[in-house]
Amino acid sequence: MAFKDSASYTDLSQGRIRHIDFRIGVNFATRTLEIEATYRLQEPVRGSLYLDSYKIDLTHARVNGQDLECEFDASDDVLGERLHLKGFEGESTFTLTFRTSPEARALQWLNASQTAGGNYPFLFSQCQAIHARSVFPCQDTPSVRFTYSAEVTVPQGLVAAMAAEKTGVEEGSGQTIFRFQMPQPIPSYLFALGVGNLAFRELGPRTGVYAEPETVDAAAWEFAENETKIVEAEKLLGPYLWGRYDLLILPPSFPYGGMENPRLTFLTPTAILGTRGHTSLITHELAHAWTGNLVTNATWQDFWLNEGWTTYAETRITEVLEGKEVSDLHAVYDEKRVLAVIERIGVDSPHTALKLPAGEKDADSFTTIIPYYKGCFFLQECEYAVGRERFDAFIQKYMARFQFQSLTTEAFLDFLKAELPEVFEKVNVHKWIYEPGMPEERQKHTSRLYDEVKQVLDGYEQGIKPTREQVQGWHRYQILSFLQGLPRKLPVEDLAYLEDILELEKRNDAALFHLFYATAIASGYESILPRVEQFMGTIGRMLYVLPVVRALTEAEWSRGYVRPLFERVRDRHHQITVNAIEGFLKKAGL
Ligand SMILES: [Zn+2]
């Protein structure tokens, strides 16, 4: 059967990209990258080659020094334009010269005022899921992997960082050239570039952190334990095959928690709490070095292979580093969240199945937390079915067998069946993978720390307010569970009281505030609006911003405020976030 990725124009019968040499000029004035890219193909190509592209301004296509005939011969709002290169006669390299658009979806260009330091501009890329095509024409499907080298020229004073090995720096007149190579083959969505006023701190023999000078020390303290995490991850998943593991702390508008770009995780600054309380996020991004980056979903329909596996690995590593009590607490908290999302999307919706429906183009629009937690719970069922020891041996074998490859759900299930046939006798695999909703027959999670919270929540429902002493010393996930478990609406004076005894202000944790604000809005706490606007203007992480927007659109009193508020903070946000918020507003008729 011919392979088809509905989110890409790629036709694998034509050929595959194997390697790209990039020369990239970064132009902050025009908000464009000027690029010359030489592509090497796996085998000589005859006839046509289709590449994905998005608003690419192509000046030249050349093969053997001759112009190559080409045209953009198909276009689509989501997929972008199909670049049709024609007339190959058995060549296996070609060169494209082009400029990216200021509207390139993968690139965010920040003014100096949008950074922590305020003096230098900043650029970062976010290619997942289908945005690499806005940086360079490519076979923008996770089923194609290539190596690359890059020479990146930036204005003097700025630093370029890539999800690749740095091989050199050269000072020129008024500019600096950074050289990189990526010897391990990656799918296009893991191409990543960041440029800004970046400082670097060493954290361990193979770990470090890049950030603006204003935040680099706080970041270095927060993530000092990264080396320990790698050691634990290797015990579970096998050797770390990417060389270094560094972090790049991005400005607040980064729409995600983290992006697992190989060798260089891009990270939200909301993870820096001053308590090392949110480093489970690093555990997750680090685990992707195996589950996702090493063994990759072949299409976005198979996204759970990346995220379910990574979430499973995260829970295992957390169990070792923070103890079973804490990983159980995470599990109960996450189970409640994912069940709520399934409920909202609809228990019969195909978008709640692990294998996502065929034919979807917009891979960003259907990514929810379901592949993460339902995927993780499925893998836990597999573990329970055969015991931890055998499952751990399976994990190591799976990683070794499919390293640097991309695979479909079906290829994974074939491997699972061959290695652990009993799983199929004890677990309803088909139901977990292909049917919507959350299977009832599963091991339910329990947690002593969660039960403590539940007791306080039950008391509150009966009119007994919690005391400061009761909540003192709670784990961050206990506070999250408490805020998540509150009734949808409560008296405004109770909200103020709870905020005080939970010491939210002192904790300065956007995860806590997004839950608190959502409840406050639903409860008609009108005077909180200026604080909500402040939150919306400083926090870019979609996981926190979108629930607040949803609450604003749902409460009668706040509906009229949402659109103007959003317009005031719009340019603080990434295009991906802006699109998601616009989607909400449109759906709400605003
Ligand atoms: Zn992930």
Side-chain angles (χ1 to χ4, degrees):
M1 198 177 68
F3 174 81
K4 182 76 196 119
D5 180 345
S6 52
S8 170
Y9 288 118
T10 300
D11 178 350
L12 289 181
S13 71
Q14 297 172 330
R16 277 174 189 262
I17 295 170
R18 261 334 257 233
H19 180 86
I20 308 176
D21 290 310
F22 293 102
R23 287 176 60 199
I24 302 174
V26 179
N27 190 333
F28 279 96
T30 56
R31 298 193 156 195
T32 58
L33 300 178
E34 284 140 24
I35 302 182
E36 184 185 88
T38 298
Y39 298 71
R40 211 157 61 224
L41 299 159
Q42 183 167 300
E43 276 155 1
V45 168
R46 295 194 169 276
S48 295
L49 184 69
Y50 299 153
L51 299 180
D52 295 299
S53 70
Y54 181 82
K55 297 195 175 182
I56 292 285
D57 179 7
L58 184 71
T59 36
H60 274 298
R62 269 180 303 231
V63 65
N64 289 334
Q66 306 288 316
D67 281 349
L68 185 62
E69 198 192 327
C70 60
E71 64 172 323
F72 293 100
D73 66 353
S75 92
D76 177 280
D77 282 353
V78 175
L79 296 183
E81 297 81 42
R82 182 170 80 175
L83 174 57
H84 184 170
L85 302 172
K86 301 174 183 178
F88 282 100
E89 294 172 355
E91 296 89 352
S92 51
T93 72
F94 62 94
T95 300
L96 303 180
T97 312
F98 55 93
R99 191 176 292 123
T100 60
S101 163
E103 288 141 57
R105 284 176 179 159
L107 301 176
Q108 195 175 22
W109 301 86
L110 299 178
N111 297 322
S113 65
Q114 292 169 299
T115 65
N119 294 316
Y120 296 90
F122 202 104
L123 162 69
F124 67 87
S125 67
Q126 167 59 40
C127 289
Q128 193 183 1
I130 58 165
H131 308 306
R133 66 193 66 179
S134 72
V135 184
F136 56 101
C138 58
Q139 292 173 313
D140 200 4
T141 163
S143 55
V144 172
R145 307 180 80 99
F146 57 90
T147 53
Y148 70 86
S149 75
E151 194 183 289
V152 184
T153 305
V154 303
Q156 205 158 40
L158 296 181
V159 171
M162 286 194 88
E165 183 188 344
K166 189 158 103 182
T167 55
V169 185
E170 191 185 314
E171 292 296 338
S173 61
Q175 55 188 32
T176 312
I177 301 170
F178 291 85
R179 292 196 175 81
F180 302 91
Q181 63 164 350
M182 189 64 193
Q184 291 94 353
I186 56 149
S188 52
Y189 79 91
L190 293 177
F191 175 93
L193 169 68
V195 179
N197 179 27
L198 296 173
F200 180 75
R201 294 281 183 277
E202 203 73 54
L203 298 177
R206 52 183 166 170
T207 52
V209 58
Y210 291 91
E212 289 186 69
E214 292 74 14
T215 41
V216 75
D217 289 322
W221 184 85
E222 195 83 28
F223 307 117
E225 292 156 355
N226 280 6
E227 186 69 31
T228 322
K229 282 189 198 283
I230 300 184
V231 172
E232 270 325 309
E234 285 186 308
K235 286 184 199 160
L236 180 69
L237 299 159
Y240 182 76
L241 296 176
W242 301 91
R244 293 192 58 85
Y245 181 69
D246 295 325
L247 305 177
L248 171 61
I249 310 298
L250 294 174
S253 60
F254 183 55
Y256 299 103
M259 178 61 211
E260 65 270 22
N261 296 315
R263 290 168 185 254
L264 185 66
T265 284
F266 283 21
L267 199 73
T268 170
T270 61
I272 304 174
L273 298 179
T275 60
R276 293 182 185 161
H278 193 19
T279 66
S280 58
L281 185 57
I282 304 287
T283 311
H284 181 93
E285 302 311 329
L286 172 64
H288 270 306
W290 289 265
T291 51
N293 298 2
L294 196 60
V295 179
T296 308
N297 53 209
T299 75
W300 299 111
Q301 275 182 272
D302 307 298
F303 190 47
W304 80 274
L305 281 179
N306 278 16
E307 294 302 347
W309 264 109
T310 298
T311 306
Y312 173 81
E314 177 193 340
T315 65
R316 291 291 305 276
I317 297 165
T318 300
E319 189 180 312
V320 177
L321 294 178
E322 298 180 55
K324 179 115 175 59
E325 288 230 301
V326 171
S327 70
D328 285 344
L329 174 61
H330 280 231
V332 172
Y333 173 73
D334 293 331
E335 184 170 34
K336 292 191 185 305
R337 281 169 67 212
V338 71
L339 289 173
V341 171
I342 289 175
E343 186 78 19
R344 199 180 68 237
I345 296 177
V347 289
D348 298 324
S349 163
H351 287 102
T352 65
L354 283 180
K355 175 89 181 188
L356 289 163
E360 301 269 1
K361 293 184 289 188
D362 188 355
D364 289 329
S365 75
F366 58 75
T367 49
T368 66
I369 62 171
I370 296 168
Y372 295 67
Y373 299 108
K374 186 179 175 184
C376 170
F377 296 157
F378 166 64
L379 293 168
Q380 286 174 341
E381 291 299 313
C382 297
E383 181 203 314
Y384 303 146
V386 298
R388 181 163 281 190
E389 204 175 313
R390 286 196 60 206
F391 197 65
D392 282 0
F394 169 77
I395 295 172
Q396 298 254 347
K397 203 163 174 187
Y398 173 50
M399 291 299 135
R401 165 70 182 77
F402 292 101
Q403 64 179 32
F404 299 112
Q405 293 175 43
S406 307
L407 83 166
T408 59
T409 298
E410 290 65 33
F412 169 73
L413 293 181
D414 286 347
F415 185 71
L416 181 66
K417 196 161 209 167
E419 295 295 322
L420 298 174
E422 313 91 284
V423 165
F424 287 76
E425 288 155 26
K426 296 185 181 160
V427 180
N428 189 338
V429 174
H430 188 273
K431 188 170 188 158
W432 274 96
I433 302 287
Y434 294 105
E435 293 180 21
M438 183 74 85
E440 255 316 302
E441 323 70 60
R442 67 179 195 279
Q443 200 139 317
K444 301 293 186 318
H445 294 99
T446 56
S447 155
R448 185 188 68 78
L449 296 178
Y450 182 81
D451 291 344
E452 243 178 69
V453 175
K454 183 83 174 76
Q455 221 174 7
V456 176
L457 282 170
D458 289 346
Y460 179 69
E461 297 239 0
Q462 288 153 19
I464 310 162
K465 281 192 197 169
T467 64
R468 195 179 289 274
E469 291 66 42
Q470 266 178 310
V471 302
Q472 222 160 35
W474 266 6
H475 187 276
R476 176 171 181 264
Y477 270 82
Q478 286 182 291
I479 304 176
L480 284 167
S481 302
F482 178 76
L483 290 171
Q484 186 197 45
L486 283 172
R488 229 178 87 72
K489 293 182 186 184
L490 43 148
V492 167
E493 56 279 12
D494 284 11
L495 282 160
Y497 172 77
L498 293 175
E499 182 177 12
D500 177 45
I501 63 161
L502 293 168
E503 299 184 333
L504 295 190
E505 207 63 55
K506 206 168 91 188
R507 291 175 197 274
N508 189 32
D509 183 341
L512 303 178
F513 274 116
H514 94 278
L515 291 174
F516 180 74
Y517 287 147
T519 307
I521 292 160
S523 306
Y525 191 168
E526 298 195 17
S527 62
I528 205 130
L529 201 60
R531 289 173 60 196
V532 170
E533 178 161 347
Q534 156 81 7
F535 181 85
M536 293 273 302
T538 47
I539 304 295
R541 187 172 175 187
M542 286 195 289
L543 184 68
Y544 301 153
V545 170
L546 298 185
V548 173
V549 176
R550 187 184 305 116
L552 287 168
T553 60
E554 283 172 359
E556 208 44 59
W557 73 270
S558 53
R559 276 178 60 86
Y561 294 112
V562 198
R563 171 60 75 180
L565 188 158
F566 170 55
E567 294 303 335
R568 287 194 294 274
V569 300
R570 173 193 277 267
D571 62 353
R572 311 295 300 176
H573 288 283
H574 194 280
Q575 195 55 42
I576 291 176
T577 316
V578 168
N579 292 347
I581 294 177
E582 284 288 3
F584 270 139
L585 298 186
K586 212 174 282 169
K587 223 161 111 190
L590 293 165

